[in-house]
Amino acid sequence: MSEEVKMEEVKQESGEKQGFFRRLVSGLTKTRDNIISGMDNIFSGFSRIDEEFYEELEEVLIMGDLGVQATDNILEDLKEKVRARHIKEPSECRQLLIDSIKEQMDIGETAYEFEDRTSVVMVIGVNGVGKTTTIGKLAGKLRSRHKKVVLAAADTFRAAAGEQLKEWADRAQAELIGGQEGSDPASVVYDAVAAAKARHADVLLCDTAGRLHNKKNLMEELKKMNRIIDREFPDAYRETLVVLDATTGQNALMQAKEFNEVADITGIILTKMDGTAKGGIAVAIQAELGIPVKYIGVGETIEDLQKFDADEFVNALFTTEKPEE
């Protein structure tokens, strides 16, 4: 590859990242208005750092859906930094707080190995979180990297899930393997594995049901699917992603915890970040569960589903630049 081509690719990647950062800044407007204005009022409104100062900060963080546990850890870390550095001015705490939030979200490098290996990706999530749309967008992103993708419509209990996934499959030029509504999801996965192997697909994306109100049935269903994949496709790299709706705030955190009880969750996809003031939930999920948020959705288009970067997220949350119209 020539130096010019390499430079062009680096420039293009840099432009895409800048473009997404602007969309992220714009998408987090409601969350920023909810959290940051309250914080900045505290930093500028208090003349000294005391218990009341910390209590006010705690309230803003919890109201911003960062969660009780993450908030406690962030504030403990902030107090430690203030003591160690003999800081007296509340305004000097702003950057320290940003650093503490980033540290709470740091769970090491987030791997996207499935994108570059022969993989089976199970995608689960309750109805209404944008699961099928997210799978379609993920398929589109993989296809743009010239990956061969097969989709399994194994959410056979949700009316119209198959038709919705077919639209996305057509758009992404991915092959769809589906079953009759109400049919056994595991049989769809069996057929999809056979198709993925026969067509030498790079990635098999499985849309599976997430009926959390009956966890025992869900657990049995997922076990059955996993047994089939283990037996029929033992060499495939495995990933299990949970799609959560950021607008539900703490409820999304509860769902993540419950899904983690019934499945070996390897990553989270947070949707609808652009429509919520509860974007702080991304902090709570990574800090409390130690499960990486792998993708974040800040809009309707395929480009608006992007890999999640915790540092970039916190920078966008605290940025003072105005999002472009």
Side-chain angles (χ1 to χ4, degrees), residues 125-181:
V126 299
N127 288 349
V129 295
K131 174 167 59 82
T132 304
T133 300
T134 299
I135 291 167
K137 288 179 180 178
L138 200 48
K141 294 186 91 62
L142 290 164
R143 287 289 297 127
S144 71
R145 295 184 58 208
H146 311 293
K147 300 291 181 184
K148 198 166 194 177
V149 180
V150 171
L151 300 177
D155 187 354
T156 57
F157 294 96
R158 182 166 78 84
E163 289 91 327
Q164 192 185 354
L165 196 59
K166 181 166 188 346
E167 279 181 34
W168 276 104
D170 291 344
R171 208 179 299 181
Q173 296 175 304
E175 185 160 355
L176 178 71
I177 306 297
Q180 294 297 311
E181 198 175 302

Side-chain angles (χ1 to χ4, degrees), residues 38-58:
M39 276 185 194
D40 286 344
N41 286 341
I42 296 167
F43 293 138
S44 60
F46 274 78
S47 56
R48 62 195 179 120
I49 299 169
D50 55 15
E51 246 347 278
E52 193 184 343
F53 168 78
Y54 287 123
E55 280 171 16
E56 291 281 330
L57 268 184
E58 179 182 39

Side-chain angles (χ1 to χ4, degrees), residues 124 212 215 218-219 222 240-242 244 252-268 285 288-292:
I124 56 183
L212 267 174
K215 279 202 278 185
L218 174 62
M219 192 187 292
L222 291 170
T240 303
L241 303 175
V242 170
L244 301 170
L253 179 63
M254 288 308 301
Q255 282 178 24
K257 285 178 176 173
E258 291 189 41
F259 275 124
N260 204 32
E261 287 171 15
V262 299
D264 181 18
I265 305 304
T266 57
I268 307 274
I285 286 168
E288 289 194 27
L289 297 182
I291 298 172

Side-chain angles (χ1 to χ4, degrees), residues 22 64 312:
R22 280 196 293 272
E312 199 170 71

Side-chain angles (χ1 to χ4, degrees), residues 274-292:
D274 54 318
T276 184
K278 300 169 184 273
I281 197 63
V283 180
I285 286 168
Q286 274 204 183
E288 289 194 27
L289 297 182
I291 298 172

Side-chain angles (χ1 to χ4, degrees), residues 18 37 75 78 81 85 106 169 178 245 275 288 305 319:
Q18 285 176 353
S37 56
L75 288 178
L78 177 64
K81 287 185 169 106
R85 300 177 198 188
D106 182 16
D245 177 348
E288 289 194 27
L305 180 72
T319 190

